[in-house]
Amino acid sequence: MRFVFKQYTMHKAFLLVLMIFYNGLSSNAASSSVEARPKVVNIGALLSFDSSIGKVAKVAVEAAVDDVNRDQSVLGATKLQLNMRDTNYSGYMSMLGALSLMGSEVVAIIGPQFSVTAHFLSLIANELQVPLLSFAATDPTLSSPQYPFFVRTTHSDAFQMAAIADIVDYYGWRAVIAIYVDDDHGRNGIAALGDKLAQKRCKISYKAPFSPNMDQPNEISDVLYEVALMESRIIVLHAYPDTGLEVLKEARHLRMMGAGYVWIVTDWLSTKIDTYSPHLTEAMDDIQGVITLRMYAPDSQQKTKFAFGWSNLTSRNATGGAFGLNTYGLYAYDTVWLLAYAIDAFLNQKGNLSFSYHPGLSELQRENLHADAFKIFREGNWLLHSISQVNFTGLTGSIYFSDGNLVHPAYEVINVIETGFKRVGYWSNYSGLSVEPPEKLYTKPPSNSSQQLSSVIWPGQTVQGKRLRIGVPNRVFYHEFVSVQGTNVFSGYCIDVFTAAMKLLPYVVPYDFEAFGDGHSNPNTTELLRLISVGRYDAAIGDISITTDRARMVDFTQPFIESGLVVVAPVRKLNSSAWAFLRPFTPMMWLVTAIFFLVTGLVVWILEHRINGDFRGPPRRQIVTILWFSFSTLFFAHKEKTMSTLGRLVLIIWLFVVLVLNSSYIASLTSILTVEQLTSSIKGIESLVTSNEPIGYQRGSFAGNYLINEYKIDKSRLFPLNSAEDCIKALQDGPQKGGVAAVVDEKAYIELLLSSNCEFSIVGQEFSKNGWGFAFPRNSQLALEMSTAILKLSEGGELQRMHDKWLLGSACRSEGTKEDANRLHLTSFWVLFLICGLAFVLALLLYIIKTVRKFAKHRSEELEGSSSRSSPSVLFQAFLSFLDKMEEDVKSRPKRRRTDRRTSNRIIDGTGCASRNSGSSKSAIAALEV
């Protein structure tokens, strides 16, 4: 195998340092061939004996070696010789321990325990070809082809992060905060989490790393203070068991373990609980409501037997008291059996073990730096291949590899409550989240469409946490939206929407309403939102309009009601008029309709004039016929018959247009005469802007600034109004008595006002499109989750039911009646007129083509036998004359001429002496002329 350190320019210096570390270690003689089937095979283990994982793994590994050596069916007469090294949480000690083990001719090393150590030890293992079988190093990047001799006998954190991403997506959260230990284990795990979240269209909104050694006492506090300022409530904690508990303890001290927060913790917490559960009574108070994961091992008789005998194993091997069995202990036990099966398969194929000096260490040998202690396991590749081919059932279930990873990665989803925990579901990469054990789902087709978890008790449901301060505008009127009674009684449509949305959140958020305003004048909504940005309030709810300027200060939820600006003005009834029958159509509509009536009569006259006697006669009679025929089609009472195909086609199309116009006219006229019509001198915002009349608006609303900034209305024309009574009085008085000509306010308010004041009406169109939403601090996760809850209320119909409960008036509801609300405009019929016009043009075009062809034929017959040519003016006059003649007359005249010509020829041929008898010729010619 190529010496990997030659990839680096300072490989010699690195090896020299390794030799100095190892100086003084004893070495064996030069490599020699061993027996065909050795009696003892050396294996090593690198563990931190005092860690939560290491102390359990030490007992499990020793028990597994004993069980393998007792079982003659695995290695037969060959025994495993276990050499352990305590790394004591130190990367330096891990390196020395690995060098020491490799100098003792071990064929494989169980470990290392930590991902950070595994990175550089895997480089050494690559050179010496000694497989590393780690049951605890979960860094996803260790699966890289860069580390071929690193074999992970547990599940990669890539799967654990996929489980967390599915949990985040299951509850509808879109962003999380990641707190993690700042080393390879933490950074690479969180990087994998970011990738998995991106696949779910979620993200990590903020990363908060902390030192693995926590050299500074206040480091965790500083990190959590930064997290608290982010206002996000979904936190993922990826750490080591000991440091992770310190983070949760400090979080509780900072009141970040209360209601409204969600903590998702990687499997280190379940490992800590399983190992020290009876002794964690005080620490359990710090982790109430936390969600954590645990590697899943299916129940089996073999696992139950091992767990039952665990207390005997710990009492025999432990020096610091009894401790529990965690899942890493199960994987450590299975790792020994995996290695035993691989060694057995390897010995059956190769039969011997051999080691040789590394050729790259010859120079170090000459320097007498004990380089002879470092030997290459010559059959390391064979053993590595045997490991990848092992397939057996252990304490953790099926043990075999697929794409370098153990098959069937699965986790339990655990909710920490009271003095223990409850399992709320499972996760597997086969079926996602479920409440059924993964092994039951492996027999079914994979499906991620039915994700499911049991109910969860979130932080704060057992321990009181931080309560949100919700600012509510204390308005003087329109109490149907928000009503503040006393100091703690809040009601109204907006209050109902907020409380209903909060109930749909996947966790409990405690909150208190606080009235903003004195109740005597409307408060300034913009000032309320500013107080959110400075931290006085955690949110604001009520009738708060979403505008561009306000959105720069806070984050708004999805609008729960649409409400743009409208103009309301006094209206009066339209007086009855003798000309009321003209109202259904606009003047332009009347003009176009009249023109088409005349054009229709003219087109039909052109098409029928040459073949239909009803359309002939003196000019005066023909004009009367055209007019009569045109307007009689309105009542389908025309007496003239159409004889041409084109004429009938034109008439059918026009009668259809007349039918539509007639029906629309009758419907509109009926509405005008039966529905009360109101009118006002103000037609909308445009006419209001161009006038000099005073305008009223609600005090505290954004309408005043909007009119000044967008429509350049002078501030002197604007009058703030404090109550609904002020609006009514100002509109009734009008400009002449010190009132206003119109009031500009949001549509939701105006509709409520008009429900009991029918003398006013909305005039013109809504000219500002916006809505109402709840306000939260910038980048607030709660704003996103509340938006989702509001959408659920809308889709379920609950939002409409609350709207009808509070805002459905019963007196008179004006939707903005306008003077021309029921008038018919040309825009409603232009397509119909266009089709009709095209039909007219097409019919005339076909008629002209047909007539020109007939005229050409007729002209050729008239000039038959004549060589003279007519001038264009004569030809045009002849064509006009041809158009005015009946078609039957035109057809019969050539026939008479041909008959007369034949008669003349017979007379001339029967009188051979015509030339001699001039008297007879003259008589014949006279006869012809007669």
Side-chain angles (χ1 to χ4, degrees):
M1 184 181 219
R2 185 182 176 186
F3 190 46
V4 70
F5 292 120
K6 290 182 180 179
Q7 300 174 2
Y8 304 93
T9 59
M10 298 183 66
H11 65 284
K12 181 177 179 181
F14 181 72
L15 289 175
L16 180 60
V17 172
L18 291 181
M19 296 306 100
I20 294 173
F21 284 157
Y22 194 70
N23 190 20
L25 292 176
S26 61
S27 62
N28 296 326
S31 63
S32 60
S33 298
V34 295
E35 298 176 11
R37 184 81 180 191
K39 292 182 179 180
V40 176
V41 175
N42 292 321
I43 63 173
L46 293 174
L47 305 172
S48 290
F49 294 167
D50 196 36
S51 65
S52 302
I53 295 175
K55 64 169 50 181
V56 174
K58 180 177 181 295
V59 176
V61 168
E62 290 174 342
V65 170
D66 291 342
D67 292 343
V68 168
N69 289 337
R70 281 196 299 266
D71 191 342
Q72 297 293 320
S73 64
V74 182
L75 288 171
T78 302
K79 303 298 182 182
L80 294 180
Q81 179 67 45
L82 176 64
N83 297 315
M84 278 193 174
R85 298 291 186 271
D86 184 5
T87 61
N88 195 25
Y89 294 99
S90 171
Y92 172 77
M93 294 301 297
S94 298
M95 183 176 62
L96 291 184
L99 296 176
S100 174
L101 291 173
M102 292 175 183
S104 61
E105 295 187 349
V106 295
V107 299
I109 296 176
I110 297 174
Q113 181 179 327
F114 298 102
S115 298
V116 176
T117 309
H119 278 279
F120 62 82
L121 289 187
S122 295
L123 296 176
I124 301 175
N126 291 349
E127 293 305 315
L128 302 182
Q129 300 185 17
V130 177
L132 299 178
L133 286 80
S134 179
F135 59 89
T138 55
D139 181 355
T141 62
L142 288 170
S143 300
S144 168
Q146 180 184 3
Y147 309 113
F149 278 84
F150 176 83
V151 180
R152 196 197 315 272
T153 58
T154 186
H155 297 306
S156 166
D157 275 340
F159 298 111
Q160 182 172 203
M161 298 308 172
I164 293 176
D166 276 356
I167 293 173
V168 171
D169 182 61
Y170 174 77
Y171 287 109
W173 303 317
R174 296 293 93 188
V176 303
I177 286 179
I179 303 177
Y180 59 96
V181 60
D182 194 9
D183 60 10
D184 289 341
H185 170 69
R187 287 190 298 269
N188 295 331
I190 293 302
L193 174 62
D195 294 340
K196 299 300 181 180
L197 286 172
Q199 295 175 7
K200 303 291 182 181
R201 295 188 177 181
C202 305
K203 65 177 181 178
I204 299 176
S205 60
Y206 182 73
K207 294 182 179 181
F210 62 90
S211 171
N213 299 322
M214 291 189 300
D215 297 330
Q216 300 178 3
N218 297 326
E219 181 180 2
I220 292 181
S221 299
D222 295 339
V223 169
L224 292 178
Y225 276 127
E226 293 294 328
V227 171
L229 293 177
M230 294 297 106
E231 291 294 336
S232 180
R233 308 258 169 170
I234 315 301
I235 302 172
V236 175
L237 176 58
H238 184 44
Y240 296 113
D242 299 323
T243 56
L245 281 180
E246 290 297 323
V247 173
L248 294 177
K249 181 178 179 180
E250 186 62 24
R252 186 189 179 207
H253 176 71
L254 297 176
R255 302 177 69 181
M256 295 176 64
M257 294 297 297
Y261 283 93
V262 172
W263 286 81
I264 304 175
V265 178
T266 49
D267 63 353
W268 63 263
L269 182 57
S270 63
T271 300
K272 192 79 173 180
I273 294 174
D274 290 338
T275 307
Y276 301 107
S277 181
H279 309 290
L280 290 178
T281 304
E282 183 178 352
M284 293 298 288
D285 293 336
D286 300 329
I287 58 177
Q288 293 296 301
V290 169
I291 292 291
T292 186
L293 300 177
R294 176 201 283 154
M295 284 188 293
Y296 176 67
D299 293 331
S300 64
Q301 184 177 0
Q302 185 181 0
K303 174 185 170 184
T304 303
K305 180 180 178 181
F306 183 77
F308 183 77
W310 181 255
S311 58
N312 294 331
L313 294 174
T314 54
S315 62
R316 187 174 65 223
N317 291 278
T319 58
F323 48 85
L325 172 64
N326 57 49
T327 52
Y328 285 99
L330 300 178
Y331 279 95
Y333 182 89
D334 283 348
T335 299
V336 175
W337 279 90
L338 168 66
L339 181 56
Y341 282 117
I343 291 174
D344 182 61
F346 162 75
L347 293 177
N348 290 335
Q349 293 178 1
K350 298 295 293 182
N352 63 346
L353 303 173
S354 61
F355 296 84
S356 63
Y357 295 122
H358 196 294
L361 302 178
S362 58
E363 183 177 347
L364 294 176
Q365 278 184 297
R366 291 195 298 269
E367 296 177 5
N368 195 24
L369 290 177
H370 297 278
D372 57 340
F374 297 93
K375 303 171 186 177
I376 296 176
F377 178 27
R378 297 175 60 183
E379 287 80 23
N381 281 305
W382 288 91
L383 179 58
L384 184 64
H385 177 73
S386 297
I387 291 172
S388 66
Q389 300 300 313
V390 171
N391 188 343
F392 75 102
T393 301
L395 301 182
T396 57
S398 298
I399 303 294
Y400 64 94
F401 295 93
S402 176
D403 297 329
N405 295 304
L406 287 180
V407 297
H408 301 322
Y411 290 85
E412 297 176 75
V413 183
I414 295 172
N415 185 201
V416 180
I417 55 173
E418 298 180 353
T419 58
F421 52 81
K422 73 169 183 175
R423 183 171 53 215
V424 297
Y426 304 89
W427 178 92
S428 73
N429 70 327
Y430 181 80
S431 56
L433 298 172
S434 69
V435 293
E436 293 187 77
E439 63 269 19
K440 291 186 178 180
L441 301 176
Y442 292 146
T443 59
K444 303 177 182 179
S447 174
N448 289 324
S449 60
S450 58
Q451 304 294 283
Q452 188 176 2
L453 290 175
S454 300
S455 60
V456 173
I457 297 179
W458 301 102
Q461 295 188 20
T462 55
V463 180
Q464 186 63 35
K466 176 184 177 183
R467 303 181 67 86
L468 297 182
R469 294 167 298 176
I470 310 295
V472 181
N474 188 6
R475 297 196 180 278
V476 180
F477 56 114
Y478 299 133
H479 291 155
E480 290 84 354
F481 295 106
V482 177
S483 176
V484 181
Q485 301 173 3
T487 58
N488 57 358
V489 179
F490 297 81
S491 62
Y493 171 68
C494 299
I495 302 297
D496 283 2
V497 173
F498 178 79
T499 54
M502 291 294 282
K503 292 178 182 178
L504 294 179
L505 296 180
Y507 48 84
V508 175
V509 179
Y511 57 86
D512 295 314
F513 291 134
E514 296 183 14
F516 177 74
D518 56 11
H520 302 293
S521 61
N522 285 332
N524 189 318
T525 304
T526 303
E527 177 62 19
L528 172 61
L529 300 182
R530 189 191 67 82
L531 293 178
I532 296 177
S533 63
V534 300
R536 172 64 179 83
Y537 292 112
D538 297 307
I541 69 170
D543 44 349
I544 303 175
S545 298
I546 303 173
T547 65
T548 303
D549 292 337
R550 292 175 177 179
R552 294 190 180 103
M553 293 189 294
V554 295
D555 279 352
F556 284 98
T557 62
Q558 170 81 16
F560 58 87
I561 189 173
E562 298 296 330
S563 181
L565 291 178
V566 294
V567 178
V568 62
V571 294
R572 59 182 177 81
K573 292 183 180 179
L574 287 174
N575 296 327
S576 299
S577 171
W579 300 97
F581 66 90
L582 294 177
R583 289 181 189 165
F585 287 166
T586 62
M588 179 59 69
M589 184 67 183
W590 279 117
L591 177 62
V592 173
T593 303
I595 291 174
F596 264 82
F597 269 108
L598 295 176
V599 170
T600 302
L602 182 61
V603 170
V604 173
W605 176 81
I606 292 173
L607 298 177
E608 296 288 326
H609 178 67
R610 298 186 68 247
I611 61 174
N612 193 337
D614 292 340
F615 292 88
R616 297 189 64 81
R620 183 177 179 181
R621 176 186 173 188
Q622 295 185 48
I623 293 173
V624 172
T625 301
I626 292 174
L627 294 175
W628 163 255
F629 181 84
S630 299
F631 291 101
S632 63
T633 56
L634 179 63
F635 311 101
F636 306 98
H638 52 283
K639 63 179 182 178
E640 293 81 6
K641 295 182 179 180
T642 53
M643 301 177 64
S644 67
T645 303
L646 292 177
R648 291 172 180 174
L649 176 64
V650 167
L651 186 59
I652 289 174
I653 294 176
W654 173 244
L655 290 178
F656 174 74
V657 175
V658 170
L659 176 64
V660 174
L661 293 177
N662 195 15
S663 302
S664 302
Y665 175 85
I666 293 173
S668 180
L669 183 62
T670 302
S671 176
I672 290 174
L673 296 179
T674 58
V675 178
E676 183 180 51
Q677 299 294 302
L678 305 176
T679 185
S680 170
S681 59
I682 303 297
K683 306 302 180 185
I685 185 62
E686 291 79 9
S687 62
L688 187 62
V689 171
T690 55
S691 69
N692 291 319
E693 303 289 352
I695 304 170
Y697 69 95
Q698 183 185 163
R699 185 184 298 274
S701 169
F702 74 98
N705 290 333
Y706 186 87
L707 293 174
I708 294 173
N709 297 331
E710 297 296 328
Y711 288 94
K712 310 303 179 185
I713 296 178
D714 191 86
K715 190 175 182 179
S716 61
R717 292 179 56 194
L718 302 178
F719 292 86
L721 303 171
N722 292 320
S723 64
E725 291 74 16
D726 289 348
C727 290
I728 295 172
K729 186 176 184 304
L731 288 171
Q732 289 175 340
D733 291 344
Q736 296 78 13
K737 298 182 180 180
V740 296
V743 170
V744 174
D745 209 343
E746 297 184 64
K747 188 176 181 180
Y749 296 133
I750 297 302
E751 286 182 341
L752 195 60
L753 178 69
L754 296 181
S755 64
S756 57
N757 295 275
C758 302
E759 68 270 27
F760 312 119
S761 176
I762 297 173
V763 293
Q765 299 293 331
E766 186 176 353
F767 61 92
S768 172
K769 295 291 184 180
N770 54 13
W772 293 355
F774 303 134
F776 292 88
R778 296 285 292 173
N779 301 317
S780 172
Q781 179 65 27
L782 193 56
L784 297 176
E785 293 161 7
M786 285 292 288
S787 295
T788 303
I790 291 171
L791 289 175
K792 290 180 181 178
L793 290 175
S794 178
E795 293 170 355
E798 186 64 24
L799 204 60
Q800 184 62 43
R801 285 190 286 272
M802 287 185 284
H803 180 278
D804 295 342
K805 170 187 174 183
W806 289 99
L807 308 179
L808 190 62
S810 57
C812 58
R813 293 182 55 83
S814 173
E815 296 294 336
T817 55
K818 301 177 285 292
E819 181 180 359
D820 61 341
N822 296 304
R823 303 189 76 178
L824 300 174
H825 297 261
L826 181 62
T827 54
S828 302
F829 300 94
W830 71 269
V831 173
L832 201 62
F833 284 123
L834 177 63
I835 295 174
C836 186
L838 291 176
F840 289 174
V841 172
L842 179 62
L844 288 175
L845 183 62
L846 294 176
Y847 174 76
I848 292 173
I849 294 173
K850 180 180 177 182
T851 304
V852 168
R853 292 179 61 186
K854 289 182 178 180
F855 172 73
K857 182 179 179 181
H858 169 74
R859 188 66 176 171
S860 62
E861 291 177 350
E862 280 190 341
L863 300 177
E864 184 177 358
S866 174
S867 59
S868 62
R869 292 185 179 182
S870 302
S871 64
S873 60
V874 174
L875 188 63
F876 181 69
Q877 291 178 2
F879 179 70
L880 292 179
S881 177
F882 178 79
L883 288 177
D884 188 54
K885 293 178 181 179
M886 284 288 290
E887 187 170 347
E888 292 181 357
D889 294 341
V890 173
K891 291 180 179 180
S892 61
R893 185 171 179 179
K895 292 180 180 179
R896 290 198 301 271
R897 287 184 177 179
R898 286 193 294 270
T899 303
D900 293 343
R901 189 177 294 111
R902 286 194 295 269
T903 303
S904 175
N905 291 337
R906 284 197 299 269
I907 293 174
I908 293 174
D909 292 340
T911 56
C913 59
S915 59
R916 294 187 298 270
N917 192 345
S918 59
S920 300
S921 298
K922 292 179 180 179
S923 300
I925 292 172
L928 288 173
E929 290 177 353
V930 175

